[in-house]
Amino acid sequence: MEEPGTRIVAVSNRLPIRLVHGPDGWEIKRGAGGLVTALAPVFRNRGGIWIGWSGGTNDEDLAGLMEPASREAGYRLYPVPLSADDVGDYYYGFSNEVIWPLFHDLQTRCNFKPRYWQQYLNVNRKFAEITTKHSGETDYIWVHDYHLMHMAQSLKELGIERNTGFFLHIPFPPADIFMKLPWRAQILRALLEYELVGFQTMRDRKNFIQCLRHISSGIRISGRGPVVTVIVGDKRVRVGAFPISIDYDAFARDAESKEVADLAWYLHEALPDRQVILGVDRLDYTKGIPERLEAFKDALSRFPELQGKITLVQVVVPSREEVPEYQMLRAELYRLVGEINGQFTRSGWVPIHYLYRSLDRSELLAYYRLAEIAIITPLKDGMNLVAKEYCACNLEENGVLILSEFAGAAAQLHRGAIMVNPYDVEGMSNAIHQAFHMDQEERHDRMHRLREVVHHRDIFWWVNNFLKAALAKDLRAFPAVEDYMPEIPLAS
Ligand code: ADQ
């Protein structure tokens, strides 16, 4: 007999798919970004449900697409229809103009418009309504990320009893930054309505608890280790650090494939006698791309032996392109790349190869495989999966990782990487110089250490840890199923 409570219902802002308007109407593509990369292998064929926004505002057009999309994904997908106003104020407004910059310590970029908050509440309620419709009392509702911090409270306001957990993919800021949020107390109280609240790092967890102390003097902490119980009045909430990761085996296996190896060889052949230094980021001002380009320029000026011997391949994945700040960043990157290439290019050598597009998996893995150095220098980042993917794909264990102290990944990878402050242009430039000259033995020792961490703390370790803290169960309690939830009717 099936045990109750064995279904996971994931709820996130976006469904793990993208809808693209092709010549024959709407087409479904796999979604991009860290959350999808991390969760898709976990949910596939486990009878799970994923609830989220489709990315459009005309969901009637999509009704017929959810069935094939669910079949292809291996789990049931239910869309949350959002209007253009919802998207404007909840997504672009509250999520991306308030929480995103504030939680990345960039409070001067925040736009605290009161109407954004109202719409955030309305949309969290919409998510709660759809979740109520498609879940039962024994399901585990696992809510993801900063767009939906209010959802457990919205469920309670609807009178719905569910076991809920929340995972924040982005950093949680220190109290002196968080307390600038006009709705700080509401957000903290809403988070306390979850039974488990998970963060990427111990630093984020500490920041959260510190903020709670600002709104309530009588807080008690019980337990030790990565997951503790926070007692606030009559509330008991589990609060933990769960560093997210990748499907290491899949990355290492795919990187070894003939297709990737051939592509890596072919791409490197076009760059003879030089080291490739690789940057891969979504277009975002938190990723520190202009500062990195300045550091590369500084390295070429101060260490002229690098000229002609190193090429920066900077891949930028288009993101939030409708937002003026992101358009400005895109223009700034083109300008900087043009300026540096204009200054240093000489016959047979272009210092920066700039790719502004999404790569398919084989191409991305080929770049990971061929790069002698990876430079990942966000100003602040929840985790940064690219750092872990680079290590997993470095089969020869001879690559060097230059990593920002302010990426969540730093907590796990600082022993093997060259650590840098992304605001320190000369420090980053010195790190490029150090990586360029690093001997094979040191490269191997460092990369071996990095790969061991990423291997042992992979995405399955992450999901098991979260589920153990939430339900005292691990993934084995959610066996793969042949078909996905055939008894659940499709949303009309
Ligand atoms: P992101 O900000 O999207 O994620 P990140 O963790 O680096 O950042 O993940 C990016 C993902 O996109 C990676 O899996 C990468 O493979 C993929 N990707 C990058 N460049 C690509 C390209 N050119 N083509 C195709 N795919 C590409 C958020 C938080 C992070 C947190 C993750 C997971 O901001 O801090 O690590 O969620 O929790």
Side-chain angles (χ1 to χ4, degrees):
M1 223 181 57
E2 194 177 331
E3 246 184 277
T6 50
R7 281 194 325 185
I8 301 178
V9 178
V11 189
S12 66
N13 173 54
R14 288 294 296 271
L15 282 169
I17 51 166
R18 280 181 300 134
L19 294 154
V20 180
H21 215 291
D24 305 321
W26 289 103
E27 291 169 18
I28 301 161
K29 305 254 188 236
R30 191 171 176 272
L35 176 54
V36 180
T37 315
L39 280 186
V42 173
F43 278 77
R44 180 165 286 275
N45 298 325
R46 282 179 202 275
I49 293 176
W50 198 318
I51 291 171
W53 172 43
S54 69
T57 50
N58 273 324
D59 277 12
E60 313 79 67
D61 298 353
L62 311 177
L65 286 174
M66 285 302 139
E67 172 69 41
S70 300
R71 202 165 285 288
E72 187 167 331
Y75 36 86
R76 178 72 67 183
L77 303 173
Y78 290 113
V80 178
L82 296 186
S83 69
D85 282 350
D86 293 339
V87 175
D89 288 352
Y90 142 84
Y91 177 66
Y92 287 113
F94 198 77
S95 301
N96 288 336
E97 287 182 25
V98 178
I99 299 298
W100 179 265
L102 189 75
F103 281 33
H104 287 88
D105 300 351
L106 298 167
Q107 69 265 33
T108 52
R109 289 181 181 260
C110 291
N111 186 359
F112 296 120
K113 274 194 193 157
R115 71 160 202 267
Y116 289 169
W117 168 244
Q118 207 44 55
Q119 204 69 344
Y120 186 76
L121 295 179
N122 294 343
V123 172
N124 270 251
R125 177 173 286 241
K126 277 193 187 177
F127 273 80
E129 283 164 355
I130 301 275
T131 302
T132 304
K133 187 168 159 197
H134 297 296
S135 65
E137 273 179 22
T138 57
D139 290 332
Y140 184 65
I141 314 293
W142 189 359
V143 180
H144 290 267
D145 229 356
Y146 60 103
H147 317 84
L148 299 171
M149 290 186 283
H150 201 270
M151 215 192 97
Q153 188 170 334
S154 300
L155 281 169
K156 289 192 180 165
E157 286 164 4
L158 291 169
I160 304 299
E161 280 291 323
R162 294 285 186 274
N163 188 1
T164 57
F166 176 81
F167 183 75
L168 185 69
H169 289 256
I170 65 173
F172 197 90
D176 54 352
I177 291 179
F178 181 81
M179 296 310 282
K180 303 202 163 98
L181 180 67
W183 308 279
R184 57 202 183 184
Q186 290 97 314
I187 290 286
L188 291 173
R189 289 208 185 92
L191 285 170
L192 291 174
E193 296 299 332
Y194 288 97
E195 272 128 82
L196 171 65
V197 180
F199 298 97
Q200 299 271 26
T201 66
M202 293 292 264
R203 177 164 59 186
D204 299 315
R205 192 192 82 175
K206 188 182 97 212
N207 287 344
F208 174 67
I209 293 175
Q210 210 99 54
C211 290
L212 288 176
R213 293 188 196 283
H214 279 259
I215 60 154
S216 173
S217 52
I219 284 186
R220 285 187 299 125
I221 311 289
S222 135
R224 316 179 58 158
V227 187
V228 294
T229 302
V230 175
I231 302 145
V232 189
D234 58 353
K235 282 209 180 316
R236 297 174 71 86
V237 182
R238 304 267 283 154
V239 179
F242 306 93
I244 201 167
S245 193
I246 57 164
D247 185 350
Y248 176 94
D249 288 336
F251 273 96
R253 188 188 58 233
D254 294 350
E256 211 175 0
S257 70
K258 185 165 176 338
E259 186 192 0
V260 170
D262 288 352
L263 194 53
W265 183 85
Y266 170 79
L267 289 167
H268 214 306
E269 271 296 280
L271 303 163
D273 299 327
R274 67 193 59 137
Q275 292 192 30
V276 169
I277 176 167
L278 176 70
V280 176
D281 309 85
R282 256 188 330 97
L283 179 73
D284 202 289
Y285 53 77
T286 61
K287 301 289 183 184
I289 312 172
E291 292 81 354
R292 184 185 314 158
L293 294 176
E294 291 290 358
F296 185 64
K297 178 179 167 194
D298 184 79
L300 295 179
S301 307
R302 283 199 297 131
F303 309 111
E305 81 271 18
L306 266 51
Q307 292 183 25
K309 294 288 171 204
I310 192 166
T311 295
L312 172 63
V313 175
Q314 176 62 57
V315 183
V316 174
V317 192
S319 174
R320 302 178 194 169
E321 281 179 299
E322 306 81 351
V323 180
E325 277 203 288
Y326 287 71
Q327 292 163 2
M328 275 155 59
L329 175 61
R330 187 179 59 178
E332 187 187 359
L333 295 180
Y334 276 119
R335 187 188 62 73
L336 272 169
V337 170
E339 182 191 308
I340 298 167
N341 281 345
Q343 185 178 343
F344 290 97
T345 296
R346 61 183 195 222
S347 172
W349 175 62
V350 179
I352 304 178
H353 290 212
Y354 183 62
L355 286 75
Y356 182 71
R357 60 189 163 88
S358 187
L359 305 181
D360 71 29
R361 189 172 161 94
S362 302
E363 210 180 347
L364 181 65
L365 267 54
Y367 277 110
Y368 286 151
R369 258 204 88 166
L370 70 86
E372 280 84 3
I373 305 167
I375 182 157
I376 296 164
T377 54
L379 304 179
K380 186 107 188 206
D381 214 333
M383 177 55 56
N384 196 297
L385 296 177
V386 171
K388 294 188 170 182
E389 292 168 7
Y390 174 68
C391 297
C393 295
N394 200 256
L395 305 177
E396 281 82 22
E397 302 200 329
N398 58 3
V400 184
L401 175 65
I402 300 175
L403 182 63
S404 162
E405 291 165 18
F406 306 124
Q412 291 177 299
L413 304 183
H414 65 100
R415 286 203 183 84
I418 300 179
M419 301 306 298
V420 292
N421 171 357
Y423 291 95
D424 175 5
V425 166
E426 286 192 347
M428 282 193 285
S429 154
N430 291 339
I432 293 171
H433 182 248
Q434 182 190 346
F436 180 83
H437 288 291
M438 192 179 286
D439 64 41
Q440 286 303 320
E441 197 183 335
E442 186 177 352
R443 281 174 175 254
H444 175 78
D445 287 351
R446 285 174 177 265
M447 185 45 77
H448 185 69
R449 200 179 269 205
L450 289 168
R451 294 184 88 231
E452 286 217 322
V453 176
V454 183
H455 191 188
H456 290 123
R457 303 275 188 253
D458 69 359
I459 186 65
F460 301 104
W461 171 86
W462 174 75
V463 80
N464 275 332
N465 262 356
F466 193 93
L467 293 178
K468 266 190 235 153
L471 303 166
K473 284 181 181 177
D474 67 18
L475 257 192
R476 284 168 299 186
F478 302 87
V481 289
E482 282 293 304
D483 200 359
Y484 59 95
M485 303 321 297
E487 77 278 16
I488 303 277
L490 275 175
S492 53

